[in-house]
Amino acid sequence: MAQETLRPTTILDELKKNGVTHIVWLPDSETNFMFQAMTSQRDIHLVSVCREGEALAIAAGLWMGGKTPVVMIQNTGLFESGDSVRGLGLDVGLPVVMFIGYRGWTRHGVTPDSAARFLEPILHTWGISYYLLESDADVPRISEALAEAGRAQKPVAVLVGKEYG
Amino acid sequence: MMKMRDAMRVVDQYRGGAFVIAAHAARGGWADVSHNKELDLSMAGAMGKSSSLALGVALAKPGRKVILFNGDGALLMNLGTLVTEAQQAPPNLCHIVLENGLYATTGGQPIPGKDRVDFAGMARSAGYRRVFRFDDLEEFASKASEIFTQPGLTFLCLRVEPEIETRPINQRPNRPKPPFQTYRALKERL
């Protein structure tokens, strides 16, 4: 059962191991479990935004300034961020990992929530690779995603599939 | 009300080694005025998000001044940015809004709230402590030293005459260079 747990400290340790400096974040129910851990540590700076479209643009500025940010938003927020993803993610070739709360994700059943149904087709359309994160066993995928973003010089997504973990 | 380039010349006198982002309608004017183009970014994509980009650079490079020329219409597309900027409060960021009351790059349609919206007031309410607003060039020039040499997150609203662009996008001068190479080159210079 231990492998089914997704612990915030495991995620943060993986980010620190990769030299991540900032998390640009708007709360959602899938990454809510990260809040306490993120705010009680000082190694990675937390930048809270008012709307998700700001997040990728702030990340682009941080990257221009030599930092290594990640973005943490919900799939609904990714939809809102479309022009930022296009103009500052894909056109610029921004090597950033976006943690996306996979609202509506059901591994074994139908997915009535359009927020979940549209997510992967949109990522495919944009040519953005993605990795699924549901338990501690998946955490090494974060390193893979960061490595791919650096290699490909473009955004890569990590889909957080565990609501209120 | 001021001419945009006249106001920009005042800013240029005090920019020093600042990284300057000129977004949308400000791009052509700043390209004519700037004396340090190696540290300028002419930004056209992701409308409304130039302020967020500027905030990210300011947070990453606390030792470098960051000046943004934003439009009033562009700010309205991303108003939450004022709260985010004030929350982070990087002392090296100066957010300038060129208030002309219209969407200059799309043919001159009025912005919502034209002549009613108080951008400086909104910045204050969002948590900005250094807020300035000028209609008159001489008055702005007389206060510019104080504005640009003192540290602190700064919001500056300048009322400027509209310069409306009606040419098709692909026929306009000062088209932005390919972003992939441009952003990387600036990253190296910062």
Side-chain angles (χ1 to χ4, degrees), chain A:
Chain A
M1 291 301 289
Q3 282 204 335
E4 293 181 5
T5 303
L6 181 58
R7 290 173 298 175
T9 49
T10 318
I11 296 172
L12 287 169
D13 287 346
E14 198 74 5
L15 296 178
K16 290 174 192 172
K17 190 175 86 181
N18 284 280
V20 169
T21 57
H22 293 74
I23 299 173
V24 189
W25 184 62
L26 198 147
D28 67 274
S29 52
E30 288 75 25
T31 57
N32 168 64
F33 75 104
M34 296 283 295
F35 179 70
Q36 192 77 34
M38 286 194 293
T39 52
S40 60
Q41 57 83 45
R42 294 187 177 275
D43 296 322
I44 302 178
H45 300 280
L46 193 60
V47 181
S48 299
V49 297
C50 300
R51 195 71 171 111
E52 290 89 343
E54 295 174 62
L56 207 69
I58 292 172
L62 288 164
W63 167 78
M64 284 184 78
K67 302 299 184 186
T68 307
V70 297
V71 165
M72 204 169 276
I73 58 177
Q74 196 178 55
N75 47 7
T76 51
L78 181 75
F79 304 146
E80 194 275 337
S81 306
D83 198 34
S84 295
V85 174
R86 179 200 63 79
L88 289 167
L90 299 172
D91 285 359
V92 168
L94 182 65
V96 71
V97 166
M98 303 182 290
F99 286 79
I100 300 172
Y102 204 158
R103 197 190 89 178
W105 163 249
T106 55
R107 172 171 281 278
H108 301 294
V110 294
T111 304
D113 188 341
S114 63
R117 283 190 284 112
F118 290 131
L119 176 58
E120 292 186 50
I122 284 176
L123 291 172
H124 281 295
T125 299
W126 279 334
I128 294 177
S129 310
Y130 54 89
Y131 297 78
L132 184 61
L133 182 64
E134 293 178 292
S135 73
D136 281 352
D138 301 327
V139 163
R141 294 176 181 171
I142 295 171
S143 291
E144 291 179 41
L146 285 158
E148 181 176 343
R151 257 194 329 271
Q153 293 289 289
K154 67 176 191 178
V156 172
V158 170
L159 310 184
V160 183
K162 188 149 183 155
E163 190 176 23
Y164 291 112

Side-chain angles (χ1 to χ4, degrees), chain B residues 47-68:
Chain B
M47 193 160 183
K49 301 305 187 303
S50 60
S51 52
S52 306
L53 183 79
L55 173 61
V57 176
L59 291 173
K61 304 295 280 186
R64 187 180 289 282
K65 184 95 176 166
V66 177
I67 297 173
L68 165 70

